[in-house]
């Protein structure tokens, strides 16, 4: 039977962190952590997340946005064109990875992020963060694809695109044929080995728990009759 809003009663109690203040306090108070990667599914409200982070970080944290390490939107557009085609709705599924779009000259900057030789913590936020640095702590940030579609309809751009006013069907097509397949594959690899999971489906009320607890909770849905 189809459940519009599936729910499952969980008998075990799990520690959760609610709200930006509580979440960031937990993440930023960690000891002996030199590099933190906040891996974001493309389409999460990263602007809000970054704004909240910058309001709470101190001078001992070096903050970077992964957007700094990727090619310009025009170059990405050219690479994706054969995949997206001129059709308004249909394209070709992509096997491209986000790291395929890293700037070659950004590698030296990435090397400079190794804070193990300095008395500061590197905090890298965005798509591909966990692939750019070898982080001591990885946080996976997700939202629903339905929320992403609503956001695109409301006028947001695709990942590293300047297409706020583009036909929404073309924006969803770019997500469907490139961004989501690449992000889903990355999620399979990153989430099981990450330390924390943040649900940013409602950017006003973020929720966090350890990734191991989150995966354990998901098993309850998978195993229910």
């Amino acid at each position: 039977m189809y459940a519009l809003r599936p729910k499952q009663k969980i008998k075990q109690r799990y520690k959760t962190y609610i709200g930006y203040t509580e979440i960031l306090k937990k993440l930023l108070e960690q000891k002996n952590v030199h590099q933190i990667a906040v891996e974001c599914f493309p389409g999460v409200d990263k602007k809000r997340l970054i704004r909240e982070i910058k309001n709470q970080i101190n001078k001992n944290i070096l903050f970077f946005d992964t957007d700094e390490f990727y090619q310009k939107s025009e170059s990405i557009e050219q690479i994706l064109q054969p995949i997206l085609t001129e059709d308004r709705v249909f394209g070709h599924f992509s096997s491209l990875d986000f790291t395929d779009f890293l700037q070659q000259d950004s590698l030296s900057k990435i090397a400079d992020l190794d804070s193990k030789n300095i008395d500061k913590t590197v905090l890298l936020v965005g798509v591909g963060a966990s692939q750019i640095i070898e982080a001591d702590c990885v946080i996976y940030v997700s939202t629903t694809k339905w929320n992403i579609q609503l956001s695109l309809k409301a006028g947001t751009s695709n990942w590293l695109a300047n297409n706020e006013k583009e036909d929404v069907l073309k924006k969803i097509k770019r997500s469907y044929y490139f961004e989501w397949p690449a992000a889903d594959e990355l999620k399979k690899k990153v989430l099981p080995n990450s330390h924390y999971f943040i649900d940013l489906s409602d950017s006003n009320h973020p929720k966090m728990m350890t990734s191991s607890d989150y995966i354990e909770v998901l098993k309850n849905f998978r195993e229910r009759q």
Side-chain angles (χ1 to χ4, degrees):
M1 181 182 295
Y2 174 76
L4 179 62
R5 294 181 175 85
K7 60 182 179 180
Q8 177 80 0
K9 187 174 181 179
I10 307 298
K11 296 181 180 180
Q12 184 175 340
R13 289 182 175 272
Y14 296 95
K15 173 63 179 175
T16 57
Y17 303 85
I18 309 296
Y20 290 103
T21 300
E22 187 175 355
I23 289 172
L24 293 173
K25 182 177 184 298
K26 176 62 179 177
L27 296 179
L28 299 177
E29 71 181 6
Q30 298 178 92
K31 305 297 183 182
N32 300 316
V33 173
H34 301 284
Q35 300 196 90
I36 302 173
V38 181
E39 180 68 56
C40 296
F41 196 96
V44 302
D45 190 351
K46 192 181 72 169
K47 288 183 179 179
R48 173 68 183 278
L49 178 61
I50 287 177
R51 185 167 73 248
E52 296 291 342
I53 289 174
K54 287 185 174 180
N55 285 338
Q56 296 198 41
I57 59 176
N58 56 49
K59 62 182 180 181
N60 293 319
I61 295 178
L62 297 176
F63 174 85
F64 295 90
D65 184 337
T66 56
D67 290 0
E68 302 174 35
F69 301 98
Y70 289 105
Q71 298 175 34
K72 301 299 182 182
S73 59
E74 295 79 8
S75 299
I76 295 174
E77 194 77 32
Q78 289 181 355
I79 296 171
L80 291 179
Q81 184 55 42
I83 296 164
L84 300 180
T85 74
E86 295 296 334
D87 191 273
R88 187 182 180 210
V89 176
F90 297 105
H92 305 291
F93 281 108
S94 167
S95 61
L96 290 168
D97 186 277
F98 294 115
T99 55
D100 292 327
F101 299 93
L102 286 171
Q103 299 182 73
Q104 291 302 312
D105 59 1
S106 71
L107 296 178
S108 59
K109 187 175 182 180
I110 294 172
D112 291 340
L113 295 185
D114 185 359
S115 66
K116 294 181 180 179
N117 296 318
I118 60 176
D119 190 26
K120 290 183 182 295
T121 298
V122 167
L123 176 60
L124 181 62
V125 179
V127 175
S130 62
Q131 308 302 292
I132 294 175
I133 60 173
E134 295 183 7
D136 305 298
C137 178
V138 177
I139 300 100
Y140 192 89
V141 185
S142 188
T143 186
T144 65
K145 291 174 181 175
W146 176 246
N147 278 349
I148 295 172
Q149 291 180 70
L150 293 177
S151 181
L152 292 173
K153 290 177 182 178
T156 61
S157 296
N158 287 93
W159 176 70
L160 292 183
N162 296 315
N163 63 344
E164 296 93 337
K165 297 182 180 180
E166 188 175 29
D167 181 347
V168 67
L169 290 181
K170 289 187 176 182
K171 292 199 285 186
I172 293 175
K173 178 182 72 170
R174 178 167 172 150
S175 294
Y176 185 76
Y177 285 103
F178 162 59
E179 292 169 11
W180 293 349
D184 286 340
E185 287 302 312
L186 183 58
K187 184 176 183 178
K188 292 177 186 177
K189 180 166 59 174
V190 175
L191 181 58
N193 300 306
S194 63
H195 299 82
Y196 293 96
F197 174 85
I198 296 178
D199 177 8
L200 211 61
S201 298
D202 182 349
S203 60
N204 292 317
H205 302 284
K207 307 166 189 69
M208 184 181 80
M209 63 195 311
T210 66
S211 296
S212 57
D213 282 351
Y214 173 70
I215 292 171
E216 196 65 31
V217 169
L218 290 181
K219 290 179 181 178
N220 284 272
F221 284 86
R222 185 187 66 190
E223 296 169 357
R224 71 174 182 168
Q225 298 297 321

